[in-house]
Amino acid sequence: MALMALPAWAQPDPNARVGLTVADARLHGYRFERLSIASPDGQRHYRVHLAVPTGTAPARGFPVACMLDGNAVLMALEAPLLEQLAASARPPVLVLVAHDNDLRIDGPARTLDYTPRRGEGGGEEFDASGNGRRSGGADAFLALIVERIMPAVRQRIAIDEDRRMLWGHSYGGLFALHALATRPDAFTDYVAVDPSLWWGEGFIVGELEQAARRHPAAPARLSLMQGVPLASDRDGKAGPGGRGAGNAEAGQRLEAVFAELPGVEVRRMPLPGLSHGQTLGAAIAPALRSLAASADVSP
């Protein structure tokens, strides 16, 4: 079957909808399932695409990758990658968390779910980018993942608790860093792909600075994947004085934080020649291969 997968080098269409994906293909080594999860108040609904290895679970269970923007990830996944992962000794379970619609990216919903609160009060907050979207729901969304989505996965699949990855791109990368700063034991591995460090004038760096002052911290591994800023980035995140400049400034502060963040092993992976939007697709394979490889050598 010819899959409508998005090549890593292609500029993604922000208005795209889910069509045929790898979940509709005949695969060797993986099967797909789908869960429906609601927020505790029943106001917000999510679809969770599960890619599950068909082989026998290892004694310690399968490693697991919880990946945000689940529809976009599903559209970018390709059968050869899954078949390669299936051939490893401990292939990962993929938990692709999406908002409950067919949009590749649901901008308003992800803005609310992926951004932390900046104020102390309980009032409504709006996105730091000035787009008028509601923001500040990251803690509630993280609780949903930890307390509802992952337990639902564990009920179906044996999971290796020592290999649990959270993966996010852009605002999702911001969310992954927020989770690391506030609930570092929620996952063992965090992957932040071109994270929006500029957001809230480097708000996330301040959170990590606070985390660095707290002792002890849960041990964790962080992979920071970043593309090369391009002046032609149509998302407007590059260019002098734009979000690219904010990322650069926050990135300099972040380097100092990493030196003092207790218990966190940091790995940097450049994604050269790619715009911000293109890094989403390009970062999927290396993250999943790394998770499978680390699980193979774990004691």
Side-chain angles (χ1 to χ4, degrees):
M1 180 181 292
L3 298 177
M4 303 301 290
L6 183 71
W9 48 262
Q11 186 68 28
D13 178 2
N15 300 313
R17 290 180 174 269
V18 179
L20 287 177
T21 70
V22 68
D24 301 299
R26 290 184 179 179
L27 296 174
H28 298 287
Y30 271 88
R31 72 176 190 275
F32 275 84
E33 303 176 12
R34 196 162 94 177
L35 306 178
S36 295
I37 304 288
S39 60
D41 62 8
Q43 298 300 306
R44 300 180 66 75
H45 299 270
Y46 303 85
R47 62 177 60 170
V48 180
H49 309 279
L50 295 181
V52 184
T54 57
T56 302
R60 293 179 56 181
F62 293 111
V64 61
C66 180
M67 308 180 77
L68 306 184
D69 288 319
N71 283 348
V73 173
L74 181 65
M75 293 169 70
L77 273 176
E78 297 181 347
L81 171 62
L82 290 178
E83 291 174 356
Q84 180 186 68
L85 294 172
S88 63
R90 298 175 68 195
V93 171
L94 277 55
V95 180
L96 312 183
V97 182
H99 297 95
D100 194 20
N101 55 54
D102 288 327
L103 294 172
R104 177 181 178 272
I105 297 287
D106 187 332
R110 78 193 293 269
T111 297
L112 176 59
D113 283 339
Y114 296 177
T115 57
R117 288 192 62 83
R118 288 166 288 157
E120 296 294 333
E124 196 171 50
E125 291 191 354
F126 294 90
D127 192 24
S129 67
N131 59 20
R133 295 171 176 172
R134 291 177 59 208
S135 65
D139 288 334
F141 184 55
L142 180 56
L144 181 89
I145 291 174
V146 173
E147 298 167 14
R148 292 202 169 201
I149 293 178
M150 293 307 297
V153 173
R154 290 185 181 95
Q155 287 179 358
R156 292 162 173 78
I157 308 160
I159 297 301
D160 182 352
E161 297 298 335
D162 292 329
R163 286 294 182 270
R164 295 172 289 118
M165 173 186 286
L166 176 63
W167 181 103
H169 168 261
S170 189
Y171 272 28
L174 174 74
F175 179 88
L177 293 175
H178 173 73
L180 175 63
T182 60
R183 294 184 67 167
D185 59 344
F187 293 86
T188 62
D189 296 76
Y190 296 81
V191 179
V193 183
D194 247 11
S196 299
L197 302 178
W198 58 269
W199 188 87
E201 298 182 348
F203 180 87
I204 189 60
V205 182
E207 283 200 322
L208 289 165
E209 288 170 342
Q210 293 177 25
R213 291 192 289 268
R214 293 195 298 265
H215 298 278
R221 292 171 288 272
L222 169 64
S223 294
L224 189 63
M225 300 186 181
Q226 292 179 291
V228 177
L230 301 175
S232 60
D233 186 346
R234 75 180 186 186
D235 289 338
K237 295 178 175 59
R243 297 178 188 177
N247 275 343
E249 180 180 347
Q252 292 176 358
R253 291 172 54 200
L254 197 59
E255 288 302 314
V257 175
F258 285 157
E260 300 181 3
L261 201 59
V264 178
E265 176 187 333
V266 181
R267 185 180 69 156
R268 298 164 185 79
M269 180 179 295
L271 299 170
L274 300 179
S275 71
H276 176 73
Q278 293 165 347
T279 56
L280 185 152
I284 294 171
L288 295 179
R289 288 178 182 136
S290 175
L291 181 62
S294 66
D296 287 346
V297 299
S298 63

